[in-house]
Amino acid sequence: LVVKVENQQSSFSDIIELNVGGQVYVTRHETLVSVPNSLLWTMFAQKSPTELPKDSKGRYFFDRDGFLFRYILDYLRERDIVLPDFFKERGRLQKEAEFFQLHELAQRLRPAVSKDNSLGDELCAHGDPEEASLACALGSSSITTTAVSSPTPSLLSPFQKHGYITIGYRGSYTIGRDIQTDAKFRRVARITVCGKTSLAKEVFGETLNESRDPDKPPERYTSRYYLKYNFLEQAFDRLAEVGFRMVACSSTGTCAYASSDPNEDKIWTSYTEYVFSRD
């Protein structure tokens, strides 16, 4: 049995390529098997390559959150994890740790609960600022009710990343021959998101479509993301909620006839960009 396991291990190359939810990772085989009895250890130490699912390019495929998997890899490498400020995905990362059967990591990510059933200092220090302010208020009588119920953006800003996000859209509308009727006003085909990958994911989360640029590392910039909805105001509301403000905008437009007949309706098309900043 020992010989069989060793043969299976040797059939994996030293460098392993993974496709996790569309995000591509490259790591060493020894990293993946560094935690005994974890899911990755079971797959890459107890099975052969032919038993594992692969994508069309031969990379081992996991239908999990590709963005959060970077923290799973960090833990496998260092047996420790350092989360960024204003990290809003702690609960989801805990679920990912549980899925990969990294029990120690999952335990560390759980909010600490004291004997009086109040959340501990760890959530106050590292969790979502809104949740943290509520948790800390429940555990400390020195914080007033007003501070708990109405956390203002100015209180949250120290935890947030600075940066710019550009929202763009290509729209069209039709003007009738008598210029009295208009149809399909501001029809938005797609709302694009440009900026740093990690910042765009922090702001828009699951409403962000990454299919056009799936392999972008978190600290790189992209201009190929777009939103899963077509309402500009919804995007603006979300940016305002997390402390962004509009600092510039620009637009270009063209006019054309629907046919060669000048009496037909005019179709206007435009491309507009809005630049948002968080200081």
Side-chain angles (χ1 to χ4, degrees), residues 13-75:
S13 62
D14 182 47
I15 304 299
I16 303 290
E17 289 191 42
L18 307 173
N19 178 348
V20 184
Q23 295 280 354
V24 175
Y25 290 89
V26 181
T27 186
R28 291 187 175 276
H29 178 265
E30 62 185 28
T31 300
L32 297 176
V33 299
S34 62
V35 178
N37 301 316
S38 67
L39 177 64
L40 292 169
W41 178 85
T42 301
M43 296 178 67
F44 289 93
Q46 303 297 303
K47 295 184 179 181
S48 66
T50 57
E51 297 179 82
L52 305 183
K54 300 183 180 68
D55 65 9
S56 58
K57 295 185 179 180
R59 297 175 292 215
Y60 298 102
F61 179 74
F62 293 86
D63 188 16
R64 304 299 299 181
D65 191 311
F67 177 68
L68 295 178
F69 188 74
R70 62 179 296 200
Y71 301 108
I72 299 295
L73 271 185
D74 286 345
Y75 176 77

Side-chain angles (χ1 to χ4, degrees), residues 48-170:
S48 66
T50 57
E51 297 179 82
L52 305 183
K54 300 183 180 68
D55 65 9
S56 58
K57 295 185 179 180
R59 297 175 292 215
Y60 298 102
F61 179 74
F62 293 86
D63 188 16
R64 304 299 299 181
D65 191 311
F67 177 68
L68 295 178
F69 188 74
R70 62 179 296 200
Y71 301 108
I72 299 295
L73 271 185
D74 286 345
Y75 176 77
L76 293 176
R77 295 182 181 117
E78 306 293 339
R79 281 301 208 288
D80 194 11
I81 187 169
V82 178
L83 300 177
D85 293 337
F86 192 54
F87 185 70
K88 301 175 65 176
E89 309 288 345
R90 192 182 185 91
R92 294 179 60 185
L93 181 57
Q94 178 192 331
K95 292 182 179 179
E96 293 300 303
E98 291 170 349
F99 173 82
F100 287 105
Q101 299 172 17
L102 299 170
H103 304 299
E104 180 185 358
L105 175 59
Q107 181 63 35
R108 292 173 60 179
L109 290 169
R110 292 190 183 97
V113 180
S114 63
K115 293 181 180 180
D116 58 355
N117 293 325
S118 61
L119 295 177
D121 295 337
E122 186 176 5
L123 178 59
C124 298
H126 303 292
D128 185 297
E130 294 185 7
E131 296 179 0
S133 63
L134 177 60
C136 295
L138 292 174
S140 174
S141 58
S142 62
I143 301 180
T144 65
T145 304
T146 303
V148 175
S149 59
S150 303
T152 62
S154 61
L155 293 177
L156 301 182
S157 59
F159 299 96
Q160 298 173 334
K161 295 180 180 178
H162 308 297
Y164 291 87
I165 287 180
T166 300
I167 300 296
Y169 83 92
R170 193 177 304 278

